[in-house]
């Protein structure tokens, strides 16, 4: 193996730059050439490649976003798009590819693998919804960003005796919502994985109020329900007057936490060394803090579950 390429795909996540840096520097350490692919699979199809040296990735470890840009590519889902991408890779003498993204990006990477091209996935998504790894790059930063905002809202909730509903990201998974709920001491969390019961929520609010607690905080994952819908339901059914905040895209940006910068550095480096050892069609993960390799397909074929222990904690600690 002489030349390794790297791309970022899907939604951007803090720590992607640290992962790119780790791929490039590890490649150079092992006397390989490193190539950056711009705009994910779109750039792969169009041959938007740029050689990267050690200084190209200098000063980016703490920068949010991705210097390689990211994109969603419908063309790459077609046979024609896939074949064009393979042609560009081979035409540029690239021997292996590291794909940094979520499980959608890994489906794309798997298609390259099935055509015989060596590819390794690095899980980079704020949602943490990738099976085969305890954490994905960007998740810890997103949780901390959301938590900072929630802590400020809690001050106001408590000063004004208010009920606050905070909507966080998570279209199909409630990992951010659950983590933020535990860390902020929220009274209730609504996640897409569990069916929602308005009756249970009202009972909970009624209980906490009857014990003298005058303010409450509910964290809702966007994929379960919007904060506005939940506010209306609470108003119509039980007359609760809630204030709502939608955190939105601020959760994607910013400098990675030390946890994410370290995770990204470990994963990016391990990806290159795995390619060198002849692994292909695999994704990098961390399980109980150890680096692991598992088939790319496991990332979407297995559903990662929310921690029952943490769900119970929200219930137990908000009495
Ligand atoms: P995130 O969830 O953080 O946004 P992701 O990687 O899951 O990250 P997606 O938009 O699902 O984001 O996928 C990124 C890209 O991967 C898609 O735009 C497409 O190019 C490619 N991709 C997704 N699914 C497939 C598929 N079934 N076959 C081929 N390529 C796919």
């Amino acid at each position: 193996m002489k030349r390794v390429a790297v791309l970022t795909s899907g939604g951007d996540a803090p720590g992607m730059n640290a992962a790119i840096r780790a791929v490039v520097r590890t490649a150079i350490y092992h006397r390989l050439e490193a190539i950056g692919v711009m705009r994910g699979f779109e750039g792969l199809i169009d041959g938007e490649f740029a050689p990267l040296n050690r200084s190209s990735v200098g000063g980016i470890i703490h920068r949010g976003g991705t210097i390689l840009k990211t994109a969603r590519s419908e063309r790459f889902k077609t046979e024609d798009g896939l074949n064009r991408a393979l042609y560009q890779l081979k035409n540029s003498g690239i021997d292996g590819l590291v794909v940094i993204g979520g499980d959608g990006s890994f489906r794309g990477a798997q298609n390259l693998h099935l055509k015989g091209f060596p590819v390794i996935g690095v899980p980079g998504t704020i949602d943490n919804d990738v099976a085969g790894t305890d954490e994905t790059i960007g998740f810890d930063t997103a949780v901390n960003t959301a938590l900072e905002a929630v802590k400020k809202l809690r001050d106001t909730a408590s000063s004004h005796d208010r009920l606050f509903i905070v909507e966080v990201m998570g279209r199909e998974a409630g990992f951010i919502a659950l983590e933020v709920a535990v860390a902020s001491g929220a009274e209730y969390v609504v996640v897409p994985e569990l069916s929602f019961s308005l009756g249970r929520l009202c009972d909970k609010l009624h209980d906490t109020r009857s014990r003298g607690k005058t303010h409450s905080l509910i964290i809702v994952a966007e994929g379960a329900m919007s904060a506005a819908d939940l506010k209306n339901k609470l108003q119509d059914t039980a007359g609760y007057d809630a204030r709502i905040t939608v955190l939105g895209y601020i959760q994607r940006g910013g400098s990675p936490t030390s946890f994410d910068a370290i995770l990204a550095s470990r994963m990016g480096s391990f990806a290159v060394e795995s390619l060198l050892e002849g692994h292909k069609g695999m994704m990098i993960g961390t399980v109980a803090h150890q680096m692991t390799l598992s088939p790319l397909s496991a990332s979407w074929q297995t559903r990662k579950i929310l921690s029952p222990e943490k769900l119970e904690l929200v219930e137990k600690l908000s009495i």
Side-chain angles (χ1 to χ4, degrees), residues 23-302:
V23 168
V24 172
R25 294 268 170 96
T26 305
I28 294 167
Y29 179 85
H30 289 290
R31 303 191 188 290
L32 305 174
E33 282 177 48
I35 305 289
V37 179
M38 300 304 295
R39 298 188 303 114
F41 294 127
E42 277 293 288
L44 196 59
I45 293 170
D46 294 335
E48 284 184 57
F49 301 158
L52 298 172
N53 57 36
R54 58 163 308 290
S55 60
S56 329
V57 291
I60 66 166
I61 187 167
H62 290 306
R63 226 200 283 166
T66 157
I67 60 162
L68 295 177
K69 313 264 186 200
T70 180
R72 304 198 196 264
S73 172
E74 284 307 310
R75 283 194 294 161
F76 191 70
K77 293 182 180 172
T78 66
E79 188 67 17
D80 181 52
L82 181 62
N83 287 333
R84 276 171 197 252
L86 280 164
Y87 167 79
Q88 298 286 10
L89 284 165
K90 286 179 186 156
N91 196 38
S92 302
I94 294 167
D95 309 298
L97 175 69
V98 177
V99 172
I100 306 170
D103 60 338
S105 303
F106 289 176
R107 285 174 194 250
Q110 171 79 349
N111 290 347
L112 288 170
H113 167 66
L114 293 177
K115 293 272 186 183
F117 194 85
V119 56
I120 292 279
V122 168
T125 166
I126 61 166
D127 295 333
N128 200 29
D129 58 348
V130 180
T133 185
D134 290 344
E135 291 99 8
T136 57
I137 297 167
F139 173 62
D140 184 65
T141 309
V143 167
N144 278 288
T145 303
L147 185 60
E148 276 311 305
V150 169
K151 284 196 286 196
K152 291 181 174 123
L153 292 167
R154 214 180 205 334
D155 290 346
T156 300
S158 117
S159 306
H160 290 271
D161 291 344
R162 275 181 187 154
L163 168 60
F164 258 95
I165 302 171
V166 183
E167 182 183 316
V168 298
M169 279 189 161
R171 273 170 308 176
E172 272 142 50
F175 292 99
I176 295 179
L178 179 56
E179 213 75 2
V180 170
V182 175
S184 65
E187 273 63 40
Y188 209 84
V189 62
V190 184
V191 291
E193 289 90 337
L194 299 177
S195 61
F196 171 67
S197 159
L198 187 61
R200 274 191 67 198
L201 173 54
C202 288
D203 287 349
K204 175 81 188 184
L205 292 173
H206 181 74
D207 279 359
T208 51
R209 288 197 175 203
S210 60
R211 277 195 298 272
K213 200 168 183 178
T214 50
H215 64 275
S216 306
L217 178 63
I218 302 168
I219 308 292
V220 55
E222 63 182 341
M225 191 184 306
S226 72
D229 277 354
L230 186 52
K231 173 189 162 72
N232 291 338
K233 283 187 175 38
L234 283 170
Q235 176 85 58
D236 297 346
T237 319
Y240 284 110
D241 178 25
R243 299 290 191 280
I244 59 172
T245 298
V246 179
L247 295 185
Y249 281 101
I250 62 158
Q251 292 159 95
R252 278 201 182 283
S255 186
T257 57
S258 58
F259 181 90
D260 273 331
I262 293 166
L263 182 71
S265 300
R266 293 175 76 199
M267 286 183 162
S269 186
F270 195 63
V272 173
E273 290 181 345
S274 300
L275 274 174
L276 274 173
E277 282 168 16
H279 295 286
K280 38 187 118 157
M282 308 292 273
M283 65 162 264
I284 307 294
T286 52
V287 176
H289 308 293
Q290 301 300 309
M291 305 302 296
T292 57
L293 280 166
S294 53
L296 282 169
S297 54
S299 69
W300 68 88
Q301 283 170 355
T302 318

